[in-house]
Amino acid sequence: MKRKKSPIKPLKLKKKSGEKKKKTAQRKAGPDAGNNQGLNKPPVSPLQVHHDAADLIDEASSNLEGAEEDIPSTIPVLPVRDIVVFNYMILPLFVGREKSVGAVEAAMTGSRHILVLTQQDEATENPEHEDLYTTGTVCMIMRMLKMPDGRLKVLVQGLSRARVKNFVAGDPFHIAEIETISEHEPPEETAELEALVRNSREQSEKILNLRGISSADIMGVLNSVSEPGRLADLIASNLRMKVAEAQSILECEDPVKRLTLVNTQLTQEVEVASMQNKIQNMAKEGMDKAQRDFYLREQLKAIKKELGEAGDETEEIEEIRAAIKKAKMPKEVRTETEKQLRRLEAMHPESSEASVIRTYLDWMTELPWKKSSRDRLDIKEAQRILNEDHYDLEKVKERILEYLSVRKLNPTMKGPILCFVGPPGVGKTSLGRSIARSLQRKFHRMSLGGMRDEAEIRGHRRTYIGSMPGRIIQGIKQCKTRNPVIMLDEIDKLGNDFRGDPSSALLEVLDPEQNNSFTDHYLNVPFDLSKVMFICTANVLDTIPRPLLDRMEVIRIPGYTEHEKVKIARRYIVPRQAKENGLTEEEFQISDNVLSKVIREYTREAGLRNLEREVGSLCRKMARKKAEGEEGPFKATTRNLHKLLGPASYLEDERETTLPPGVAIGLAWTPVGGEILHIEVSILPGKGKLTLTGKLGDVMKESAQAAVSFARSHADKYGIDPKFHETQDIHIHVPAGATPKDGPSAGVTLVTALISALSDSPVNAETAMTGEISLRGRVLPVGGIKEKILAAVSQGMKRVLIPSQNTKDLDDVPEELRKKIEIKPVERIEEVWPLAKS
């Protein structure tokens, strides 16, 4: 492909000048001159001048004689990335871009002049006109060499500053119409100018001294240049500066101002060089100190040997070797441990690597590789301990006794992995301690709430400073047996981020088929976790990853009834709080009726935490009386309860005795137990618009739409106008609008409230209900039946409607709770409305 002919007029150069340029190029170009497709000045020192700098300046000056007058007005443009070329500057450039190669070849066939412009953004691969600064330097190409890879190596010399008037062409290479910027006449010598010139030379000398560069020849060159503009260009061409700063100096036409800008850069470079020199001296001092310490340590070792006190390191090695033998490690583990011990023997005892290996060997020898605690296999004794520590919770106790029975018959069985799920305060964590006590095993609790780093489970690799094993291995070391009870608390609150996913690391820990060879990153050898009994706790199962949940045996622990709470308070809470507050059980007296009143009026929860706080508050009031000298016993009665605890937090009269049309009472399950839910429906004149408020979730919104569709399709059965959707708008609201609500339990309640509003018939205020609906009118099963019935009883409901398919769940509801409320199973919506009205 033929290249377009350049519109540049060739310039015939004098032979003498060309010979001088060639000679200068051979002296200047060196192996340090290189660039990534373009351009770089040789990065040797902040201020670098050739040893024969005086000769170089003379030759450059002779090259410039007459050359400026021959610069054409239209010349090729060579874009460069990360350098600014100044006058009198001679440097090699590597040219690799296609347009740049074309510009150099065009210049070589013409006058050898080329305009060097710096890119505004060095990342731009193919710069256009607007990507280049408009002020640059016209350079003479002194020498060109083609490289084997197609690039060009050129040696250029800055001749004159120039400003682009207009870009003539951009293809096949950039061509610009320029005007040269003539150097101002040398200003009159003043005291201020002389001070500026001297300061620039002195700052340059400081930099050279800080860099350890011989400055005699270089300072001779600087002292020979008296013109401020020329001195500024000479220094700037060898200073390390950002492109923007160098460009601002190039664009400054006034020589005094230009030298002022260079002087500012010199001051900054002196500060940087001073700090760099300080850092290097500090590093050298640290190295000298380390060598000195090593020498003194060797001398100390020789002195100890002469005194007969040597052998401490040998004794330590022998102690570790004996500990390895005593630990009874598996063969694979012992091989790795002895390998690390041999490495320790070959190292200097004070080296940092020796400290790391010594810590590793301490961990390996202190872990219970074979040591196990003996289980208590007396089933009746274990049952007695479980009953002593916890009231009710029959399912959990039965599962533990089953494990003990199988363990008695098959000693090699693997440890179970249980997951207790229930509201806060129902005793999940304390139940784990009780299990460990009944089994006669060590207990270790490990909280997983908010854990985001996988290394918390698997440990850190020993390459990191301060690395340690994961918390599983740490817990086993603390327990000093390989079969403890480890409780993984709050497993539903695990997090994950860029450091890894702890729940994925737990997949191996909680898998009986894999955890017999669990490998911690720090130990880097397998450890058998199959003998460990893992117990997890959670409030909800929704946030636990399905693969992790699949590895656990889930046991639900629902909330307690009022009767159960009274029994637990009488048996555990009251004695414990009385003792903690310095009272005896005889001094603090509280009846079951008062406890029931505290439960009803001051707590409303599935667990027992608030109840324990209130009982503790009563004990503190009595302890104050005792401390003031009053004689006991101190009684809490129904008369002085409000005086001791303040006004009731939950009043019985909050429940409405009658409900207006359009209101129905539903039952909901929450992580803290069951709750009642009022659903309100208002009928407004309109065109059938449905409005849902109360921060409802998608499932409840769909249940509301299904309820409206059911009411429309069965309007005749309930005395509703079949065309109500054409003349009336429906607004469904669930109070406590700031609380998000969702779930499949509100369908029956929504239909009942809607029919009540459309038929203008009120619902019984003592009837609560739960269940999902289908468009055909079926009542579908839901979860949390025990918690919901418990909430209904605590709110004084007399009747509760549940799906007939949930009848099987009534086995979990205590008998005393079923006696307090009428439970009506229903299969279809048609059965609900007559029961809701009565």
Side-chain angles (χ1 to χ4, degrees), residues 710 713-714 717-718 747-749 751-752 755 769-781 801-805 824-836:
F710 179 84
S713 61
H714 297 81
K717 294 182 180 179
Y718 302 103
V748 170
T749 316
V751 170
T752 303
I755 294 175
M769 58 198 74
T770 184
E772 186 55 294
I773 61 166
S774 69
L775 290 177
R776 294 177 294 164
R778 294 181 60 223
V779 178
L780 305 177
L801 309 182
I802 66 170
S804 59
Q805 294 184 46
K824 289 285 187 180
V826 291
E827 291 186 4
R828 298 190 59 80
I829 292 294
E830 289 83 350
E831 302 174 37
V832 174
W833 181 241
L835 293 170

Side-chain angles (χ1 to χ4, degrees), residues 476-647:
I476 290 176
K477 179 189 173 186
Q478 291 174 16
C479 294
K480 298 181 179 179
T481 64
R482 65 173 185 152
N483 64 337
V485 174
I486 294 183
M487 172 157 281
L488 305 177
D489 223 354
E490 310 290 356
I491 197 171
D492 57 328
K493 298 174 181 62
L494 278 172
N496 63 77
D497 61 9
F498 65 93
R499 290 168 290 190
D501 184 3
S503 62
S504 299
L506 283 174
L507 292 176
E508 181 183 1
V509 175
L510 300 181
D511 191 337
E513 300 300 324
Q514 300 180 37
N515 63 9
N516 59 346
S517 58
F518 171 73
T519 302
D520 186 276
H521 287 161
Y522 181 84
L523 302 182
N524 205 30
V525 291
F527 189 91
D528 186 4
L529 297 179
S530 62
K531 304 301 180 183
V532 179
M533 183 175 188
F534 288 103
I535 299 177
C536 307
T537 69
N539 296 131
V540 293
L541 297 177
D542 301 341
T543 55
I544 302 177
R546 301 308 301 179
L548 185 59
L549 186 62
D550 183 58
R551 285 162 165 76
M552 299 184 291
E553 180 181 343
V554 177
I555 299 177
R556 295 186 179 273
I557 304 177
Y560 298 105
T561 65
E562 181 180 320
H563 174 74
E564 290 170 338
K565 288 181 180 180
V566 171
K567 293 290 185 183
I568 294 170
R570 174 63 59 197
R571 187 178 297 182
Y572 305 105
I573 296 177
V574 172
R576 181 167 60 244
Q577 287 297 326
K579 182 179 180 181
E580 288 180 1
N581 289 279
L583 300 172
T584 63
E585 294 186 38
E586 291 74 20
E587 288 176 322
F588 176 59
Q589 297 181 3
I590 184 170
S591 65
D592 290 354
N593 290 335
V594 177
L595 286 173
S596 296
K597 191 174 181 66
V598 172
I599 293 167
R600 286 195 305 271
E601 297 185 4
Y602 292 90
T603 68
R604 187 169 289 178
E605 58 178 347
L608 299 161
R609 286 180 181 163
N610 285 331
L611 176 58
E612 182 146 5
R613 291 190 190 100
E614 298 299 335
V615 173
S617 179
L618 289 173
C619 290
R620 288 192 297 274
K621 298 287 192 300
M622 305 308 178
R624 179 180 175 182
K625 291 182 180 181
K626 181 180 178 180
E628 291 174 350
E630 293 187 28
E631 295 291 335
F634 306 102
K635 295 183 179 180
T637 64
T638 54
R639 293 184 178 181
N640 65 2
L641 188 61
H642 290 175
K643 182 180 179 181
L644 294 171
L645 295 181

Side-chain angles (χ1 to χ4, degrees), residues 271-384:
E271 293 179 1
V272 173
S274 300
M275 182 56 66
Q276 203 168 357
N277 192 53
K278 181 180 178 182
I279 293 171
Q280 289 174 351
N281 289 337
M282 290 172 63
K284 185 178 179 181
E285 289 175 6
M287 190 179 301
D288 292 343
K289 184 180 182 300
Q291 292 173 346
R292 174 178 170 273
D293 291 348
F294 175 78
Y295 176 71
L296 292 175
R297 200 174 288 115
E298 291 298 317
Q299 282 188 323
L300 181 62
K301 188 185 295 184
I303 292 171
K304 284 186 175 181
K305 185 176 182 180
E306 290 296 327
L307 294 173
E309 297 177 0
D312 290 346
E313 292 82 7
T314 306
E315 290 178 9
E316 182 186 20
I317 296 295
E318 291 303 320
E319 287 176 2
I320 296 175
R321 185 172 282 112
I324 292 173
K325 186 176 181 181
K326 185 179 178 182
K328 298 180 180 179
M329 303 174 182
K331 184 179 179 180
E332 178 184 352
V333 178
R334 182 163 182 168
T335 301
E336 175 65 21
T337 308
E338 290 176 345
K339 175 184 175 183
Q340 296 299 326
L341 181 61
R342 287 193 295 273
R343 288 186 61 201
L344 180 63
E345 286 183 282
M347 288 181 181
H348 192 283
E350 301 299 328
S351 68
S352 58
E353 181 69 15
S355 177
V356 171
I357 295 179
R358 198 176 288 113
T359 305
Y360 173 75
L361 293 173
D362 287 343
W363 274 98
M364 297 294 283
T365 54
E366 291 177 13
L367 281 173
W369 298 97
K370 293 293 183 182
K371 185 179 179 182
S372 302
S373 57
R374 182 172 296 180
D375 288 343
R376 178 190 280 120
L377 300 179
D378 187 339
I379 310 301
K380 291 185 178 180
E381 179 63 14
Q383 184 176 13
R384 184 193 67 79

Side-chain angles (χ1 to χ4, degrees), residues 803-817:
S804 59
Q805 294 184 46
N806 285 118
T807 306
K808 57 181 175 56
D809 297 320
L810 295 178
D811 294 339
D812 297 333
V813 180
E815 182 65 28
E816 53 93 12
L817 197 65

Side-chain angles (χ1 to χ4, degrees), residues 78 197 346 353 408 560 600 730:
L78 175 62
V197 171
E353 181 69 15
K408 187 174 183 178
Y560 298 105
R600 286 195 305 271
I730 299 173

